[in-house]
Amino acid sequence: MSHNHGDTIPLHPSSAQSDMDEIESLIHAAPSPATVLPARPPSPTRASIPVSSSPAPSPVPTKPPFPAASIPISVSVSPVPVPASVSVPIGADGFGSPPNTLTEPVWDTIKRDLARIVSNLKLVVFPNPYREDPGKALRDWDLWGPFFFIVFLGLTLSWSASVKKSEVFAVAFAVLAAGAIILTLNVLLLGGHIIFFQSLSLLGYCLFPLDVGALVCMLKDNVILKIVVVTITLAWSSWAAYPFMSAAVNPRRKALALYPVFLMYISVGFLIIAID
Amino acid sequence: MMSGGGYSALDDPKASGSVPAATGTDPQAIRFADSNLQTFPPSEARGKIAGAYRPPTDADDTFSSKGGGAGSGGRGGSAGSDDAAQGGWFRMFSVAAYKPYFDVDTSDVVERIWESVFPFRGTFTEKTSENPDLYGPFWTCTTLIFVAASIATFVTYLSHKWHKKEWNYDINLVTWSAGLFYGYVTFVPLLLYVILKYLSAPAGLVQLWCLYGYSLFIFIPASLLSIVPIEIFRWVIAGVAGFMSATFVAVNLRAHIVNSGERWFLIVAGIFLLQLGLAVLLKLYFFTITV
């Protein structure tokens, strides 16, 4: 007898656990019909209100003597307003809420993209508290801004050149595009932790000051003025790129990662000064 | 009540035989204890196993999702490791394959540059035999390309200004210097590697690239000094830089191949003359005034 009791005792915990699981599953199953049930009453209430309002004066004397007749009247009237009331809440609830950008005007699309580029530019080139953290500084990175700045600089240098315009554009574009890629690979090879395209994006945005410098130098053809303008914009670009590159690699290799960046900017600056 | 009745029934035979009664009671107690011990651990173990299995699954999911969220960097890393494990020709397209050749610190690179400025020591090969790098060769070469092109532009600009003539920037200086220096540092060590392998004195290809890359460093200050508009001074600068660079390569290579055979002198002499040729070419093309 005691053996039988001992055998049955350990079975109870497992069976109890299974029972608890079943109860939990029932509890989880129970709320779904519970939520469905309250959804039905609102529509009948909405249906009942217009029914009571519309036939209010005429059926008042007839309701008490013929309750059975009044009930089928309300039932027959209720299906008519139900679809109208149901369709409106459905549209308001979820199906219609996401904005459809497919049919928006092209100008709105361009405006939104330009706004993003401007905000990214402000984050990269101007002071902000997130300069050390590229994840926060350039969360919504893109490659359209960098591409625009590279092409703009190439075109500006090409227009400034008196001879060999196409070759000037080719060399400028090659130096800038390949330079950004090589700088990113350099950091990766030194064991740094950066996202490849985010780095390309950030280095491209750092070209903005040099773009401004190139534009000024194209308009003014004075060597001394060119040197001053390029020096200022060169320092600005280097200042913008410094925290990102220095934070990406081991402190013992910081100089190895930063030197190529300065070399590229100095080379671009020299091209801006030399091309007349 | 029923159990009480059974108990009283058992008391009678137990009273007659005290010894079997005692033995009967003890085994029951022991078995009961065993059954209790057996019940608790399995349930706990099951609970622990069930609890332990789920978090690792979630952790794996989060890690994979984080990896995906990190973007191409994380994928590149994983792809690199996969390619490294697999081997084959896909490996050369992954960044991780080249990391051993960039495993240097700032102090290492500075030390090697300083070593190249003192060519007669002949200890560069020994110091870099453990971990030759490609960072120094590549960026020394790149620096030399831009410095040479820039100084050449500046020199010709000043010359034209001095002679009141019109001057236009020559963009081909950059492309030509890039072709010259990248080509030299890439193909001359490759050729030397083949020759040494043929002569059964093999040297590491990366080590040769490292040696030749750092040997070009001396030309950077030489280019800067060539701004001085005195022709004799420029020739002296080119000669000194060429001699130092050629000596650096020759001494370090001689230390490596002097034991291999009888043709080491020809190889070292050829290397020396080739390096001097580079210096002369640099002088003639970049620092010659053509008004």
Side-chain angles (χ1 to χ4, degrees), chain A:
Chain A
M1 296 301 291
S2 64
H3 292 291
N4 293 328
H5 287 291
D7 290 338
T8 55
I9 289 171
L11 291 177
H12 285 300
S14 61
S15 63
Q17 289 179 356
S18 63
D19 290 339
M20 289 299 294
D21 292 337
E22 290 177 359
I23 293 168
E24 288 178 358
S25 64
L26 289 174
I27 291 169
H28 288 297
S32 56
T35 56
V36 170
L37 292 174
R40 292 178 181 178
S43 58
T45 56
R46 293 180 182 178
S48 64
I49 291 171
V51 169
S52 62
S53 63
S54 59
S58 60
V60 167
T62 58
K63 279 185 177 179
F66 300 102
S70 67
I71 292 172
I73 291 172
S74 64
V75 168
S76 64
V77 172
S78 62
V80 175
V82 164
S85 63
V86 169
S87 64
V88 172
I90 288 173
D93 286 342
F95 292 96
S97 63
N100 186 4
T101 59
L102 185 62
T103 57
E104 71 175 4
V106 175
W107 171 242
D108 289 350
T109 305
I110 293 175
K111 198 192 304 181
R112 185 172 64 252
D113 291 338
L114 288 177
R116 184 176 69 171
I117 290 171
V118 169
S119 66
N120 282 337
L121 187 68
K122 288 178 180 176
L123 284 171
V124 172
V125 176
F126 296 99
N128 71 84
Y130 303 118
R131 292 182 77 232
E132 296 291 337
D133 189 354
K136 292 182 180 177
L138 206 62
R139 184 184 299 275
D140 190 16
W141 57 267
D142 65 293
L143 293 178
W144 199 92
F147 180 74
F148 173 78
F149 292 139
I150 288 174
V151 171
F152 182 85
L153 189 53
L155 287 176
T156 305
L157 293 176
S158 178
W159 289 330
S160 301
S162 305
V163 296
K164 301 178 182 177
K165 290 176 180 292
S166 60
E167 290 178 5
V168 166
F169 179 84
V171 170
F173 189 87
V175 167
L176 293 169
I181 292 170
I182 289 169
L183 292 177
T184 304
L185 286 176
N186 184 54
V187 171
L188 288 174
L189 288 168
L190 288 173
H193 302 287
I194 51 175
I195 300 165
F196 187 80
F197 286 106
Q198 190 184 30
S199 174
L200 287 187
S201 178
L202 194 132
L203 288 172
Y205 275 110
C206 291
L207 283 176
F208 172 75
L210 283 169
D211 279 16
V212 174
L215 191 62
V216 172
C217 292
M218 185 176 72
L219 300 176
K220 303 290 183 180
D221 192 11
N222 185 2
V223 176
I224 302 299
L225 180 64
K226 276 188 173 184
I227 291 173
V228 172
V229 168
V230 169
T231 302
I232 293 171
T233 54
L234 184 67
W236 187 3
S237 291
S238 302
W239 170 83
Y242 174 83
F244 177 67
M245 281 298 178
S246 62
V249 295
N250 196 318
R252 291 177 300 160
R253 301 178 177 181
K254 188 182 289 188
L256 300 186
L258 287 169
Y259 170 72
V261 180
F262 295 147
L263 178 65
M264 184 178 85
Y265 288 146
I266 289 170
S267 305
V268 172
F270 183 82
L271 285 180
I272 295 170
I273 294 173
I275 292 172
D276 61 351

Side-chain angles (χ1 to χ4, degrees), chain B residues 52-282:
Chain B
Y53 281 158
R54 292 177 182 176
T57 307
D58 294 338
D60 290 339
D61 293 336
T62 55
F63 285 142
S64 63
S65 66
K66 286 181 180 178
S72 59
R75 293 178 184 175
S78 63
S81 62
D82 292 341
D83 289 345
Q86 295 174 359
W89 63 276
F90 277 115
R91 188 163 178 271
M92 61 186 294
F93 291 109
S94 67
V95 174
Y98 300 102
K99 276 192 177 180
Y101 305 124
F102 286 79
D103 190 15
V104 284
D105 295 338
T106 306
S107 56
D108 296 331
V109 174
V110 170
E111 182 186 355
R112 292 175 183 186
I113 289 174
W114 200 242
E115 190 76 19
S116 70
V117 175
F118 296 97
F120 296 102
R121 288 183 184 174
T123 56
F124 185 87
T125 304
E126 296 172 6
K127 290 187 175 180
T128 60
S129 62
E130 295 299 326
N131 62 334
D133 72 293
L134 291 176
Y135 177 91
F138 181 77
W139 289 111
T140 299
C141 207
T142 307
T143 305
L144 185 53
I145 286 163
F146 284 109
V147 168
S150 304
I151 299 301
T153 300
F154 189 65
V155 162
T156 53
Y157 171 78
L158 287 184
S159 175
H160 282 72
K161 278 289 185 181
W162 187 261
H163 290 276
K164 300 295 172 59
K165 289 194 175 181
E166 186 179 358
W167 174 82
N168 290 317
Y169 178 65
D170 187 4
I171 193 69
N172 289 327
L173 283 172
V174 176
T175 54
W176 207 91
S177 63
L180 173 64
F181 292 115
Y182 280 145
Y184 184 88
V185 169
T186 303
F187 294 113
V188 171
L190 198 61
L191 181 64
L192 185 61
Y193 172 77
V194 171
I195 291 175
L196 290 181
K197 184 174 280 289
Y198 174 75
L199 293 178
S200 70
L205 180 57
V206 177
Q207 196 170 0
L208 288 176
W209 272 327
C210 188
L211 181 67
Y212 268 85
Y214 279 105
S215 73
L216 291 188
F217 175 80
I218 195 66
F219 289 114
I220 297 174
S223 300
L224 294 172
L225 287 175
S226 296
I227 294 177
V228 179
I230 301 172
E231 194 66 13
I232 298 299
F233 182 73
R234 283 176 178 161
W235 274 110
V236 169
I237 290 296
V240 169
F243 181 78
M244 289 175 68
S245 179
T247 304
F248 174 72
V249 176
V251 169
N252 282 284
L253 210 59
R254 184 183 71 92
H256 177 73
I257 67 175
V258 69
N259 302 320
S260 65
E262 301 167 355
R263 304 183 189 179
W264 68 269
F265 184 77
L266 287 179
I267 295 174
V268 170
I271 289 162
F272 191 91
L273 291 178
L274 197 58
Q275 204 79 357
L276 281 181
L278 178 68
V280 171
L281 190 62
L282 184 66

